Amino acid sequence: MSRSVTTAFNTQLTSSVLEPFLAVNMQFRNGAVYLWTGFGDITIDGDTYTGSGTLMTVSPVKETANVTANGASVVLSGIPSSTLSVALNEDYQNRSCTIYMGCLSSGAVVADPYPIFSGLMDVMSIDEGTETVSINLSVESRLIDLEKPSNKRYTSEEQKAIYPDDLGLDFVVDLQDMPIAWGRKST
């Protein structure tokens, strides 16, 4: 798979000093949450990402040559118990989440961090401690939809519900019991 990274980003990756970071863009219904694995705030594409320091970890992102639905997970730990209700009441399933890999150069973000994973938020598991909470948010690739069974019935009625003028499946019922002679002359 080809990669399109900017020249500045590629130069930073090959430099003798590398300051990588991960950034996560989570699009919740009540507003987006932008976090990154450093301290302080940074700006990416006009959005301000809040530093989570050591409180956020991102699972390794897998990429294979096969067409498979690999997922990722974002773990936020050390969250005060008082904010647990916000996580419990948030509508998050099937909302967009993108994980970026970026580099810093002298404290500034090198142009155009690379999106290493994009998918939909799936399951949020919460581990509640005495004073703090840990939230594990799994994100699934859009390829997960390929594993869902199709509910389509290839009938004339269902085809006409989508394409009213299509006659392509009108004769399927007649073919069910029709004898067909293959490889010989019919009598």
Side-chain angles (χ1 to χ4, degrees), residues 60 84 88 93 108 164:
L84 179 60
L88 291 173
Q93 285 192 318

Side-chain angles (χ1 to χ4, degrees), residues 5-186:
V5 296
T6 62
T7 304
F9 189 77
N10 193 36
T11 302
Q12 191 63 33
L13 288 175
T14 58
S15 72
S16 61
V17 176
L18 181 63
E19 297 178 65
F21 68 86
L22 294 175
V24 179
N25 173 345
M26 297 175 280
Q27 295 292 320
F28 292 101
R29 191 179 103 190
N30 293 327
V33 174
Y34 304 106
L35 299 172
W36 74 291
T37 56
F39 297 97
D41 291 344
I42 61 171
T43 302
I44 300 173
D45 293 334
D47 298 317
T48 302
Y49 285 72
T50 303
S52 61
T54 59
L55 301 179
M56 182 177 74
T57 57
V58 178
S59 70
V61 176
K62 297 177 188 175
E63 185 174 283
T64 63
N66 302 330
V67 179
T68 57
N70 294 322
S73 65
V74 177
V75 179
L76 298 171
S77 57
I79 299 170
S81 295
S82 59
T83 60
L84 179 60
S85 63
V86 175
L88 291 173
N89 296 324
E90 185 62 51
D91 181 19
Y92 64 90
Q93 285 192 318
N94 293 323
R95 313 289 272 150
S96 176
C97 179
T98 306
I99 301 171
Y100 296 94
M101 182 198 169
C103 294
L104 296 175
S105 177
S106 303
V109 177
V110 175
D112 301 321
Y114 186 76
I116 59 172
F117 186 83
S118 180
L120 301 174
M121 292 183 263
D122 187 24
V123 176
M124 184 185 299
S125 58
I126 298 172
D127 182 21
E128 191 173 6
T130 55
E131 294 179 17
T132 62
V133 174
S134 178
I135 299 174
N136 184 345
L137 179 64
S138 67
V139 183
E140 294 295 338
S141 167
R142 288 184 168 90
L143 289 175
I144 198 76
D145 290 339
L146 293 177
E147 296 177 5
K148 293 180 182 175
S150 174
N151 292 330
K152 293 199 181 264
R153 307 284 179 232
Y154 295 99
T155 63
S156 180
E157 292 78 18
E158 190 157 330
Q159 183 71 5
K160 285 185 180 173
I162 302 169
Y163 304 104
D165 298 330
D166 191 350
L167 303 176
L169 295 177
D170 281 357
F171 305 105
V172 170
V173 174
D174 296 336
L175 289 174
Q176 184 175 0
D177 294 322
M178 180 180 282
I180 300 175
W182 292 98
R184 60 183 173 157
K185 288 185 179 181
S186 61

